């Protein structure tokens, strides 16, 4: 590789490194008057819909996570949602599927640092009183 080619490749390499940012997470309290002590990520059960939740529950917070699709996995987004749910005292989440940008131009734009290719997910953090013993055991509380 010539020196000139290496110098031309440097901005692309820098853009790739600088564009490799983490997950952005936003949490909105749904029931601000209902405060719970934090739980732990290991105790958070994931449900795909309200009808899957086996017992009555309290809605605590709406959590959204977003990351660039070139550097962030679906698992990393879901992990951040569970972390957010644990912080508000949840025992479970009702999760929406990860929505991912499929446009090649956007993915290419992300690869060069344009921050245009994203994947997003959201979930409702809930607390099930019936889960109290399980959560205490999982979180060593």
């Amino acid at each position: 590789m010539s020196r000139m080619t290496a110098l031309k490749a440097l901005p692309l390499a820098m853009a790739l490194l600088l564009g490799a940012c983490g997950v952005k997470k936003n949490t909105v309290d749904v029931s601000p008057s209902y405060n719970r002590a934090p739980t732990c990520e290991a105790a958070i059960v994931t449900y795909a819909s309200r009808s899957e939740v086996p017992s009555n529950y309290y809605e605590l917070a709406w959590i959204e996570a977003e990351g660039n699709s070139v550097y962030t996995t679906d698992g990393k987004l879901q992990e951040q949602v569970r972390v957010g749910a644990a912080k508000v005292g949840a025992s479970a989440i009702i999760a929406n599927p990860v929505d991912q940008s499929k446009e090649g131009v956007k993915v290419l734009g992300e690869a060069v640092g344009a921050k245009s290719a994203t994947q997003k997910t959201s979930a409702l953090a809930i607390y099930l009183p019936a889960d109290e013993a399980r959560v205490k055991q999982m979180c060593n509380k």
Side-chain angles (χ1 to χ4, degrees), residues 7 18 31 41 52 68 72 81 89-90 93-94 102-104 117:
L7 288 175
L18 294 174
S31 303
E41 183 185 345
E52 288 185 4
N68 67 46
T72 306
V81 168
I93 57 172
I94 302 171
K102 303 279 190 221
E103 297 176 34

Side-chain angles (χ1 to χ4, degrees), residues 12-94:
L12 177 58
M14 291 299 290
L16 288 172
L17 289 172
L18 294 174
C21 60
V23 174
K24 292 186 287 183
K25 181 177 59 175
N26 183 41
T27 303
V28 177
D29 286 340
V30 175
S31 303
S33 62
Y34 188 74
N35 293 319
R36 296 218 2 99
T39 57
C40 64
E41 183 185 345
I44 305 298
V45 175
T46 302
Y47 299 105
S49 69
R50 292 176 187 268
S51 63
E52 288 185 4
V53 181
S55 62
N56 293 333
Y57 59 88
Y58 294 96
E59 296 180 350
L60 302 177
W62 182 251
I63 303 168
E64 297 174 313
E66 176 181 331
N68 67 46
S69 59
V70 174
Y71 305 104
T72 306
T73 64
D74 292 2
K76 187 67 171 171
L77 288 176
Q78 293 164 346
E79 175 188 331
Q80 287 302 307
V81 168
R82 287 191 303 275
V83 166
K87 284 182 181 178
V88 298
S91 59
I93 57 172
I94 302 171

Side-chain angles (χ1 to χ4, degrees), residues 87-107:
K87 284 182 181 178
V88 298
S91 59
I93 57 172
I94 302 171
N96 291 314
V98 173
D99 180 30
Q100 191 165 189
S101 172
K102 303 279 190 221
E103 297 176 34
V105 172
K106 285 188 176 183
V107 172

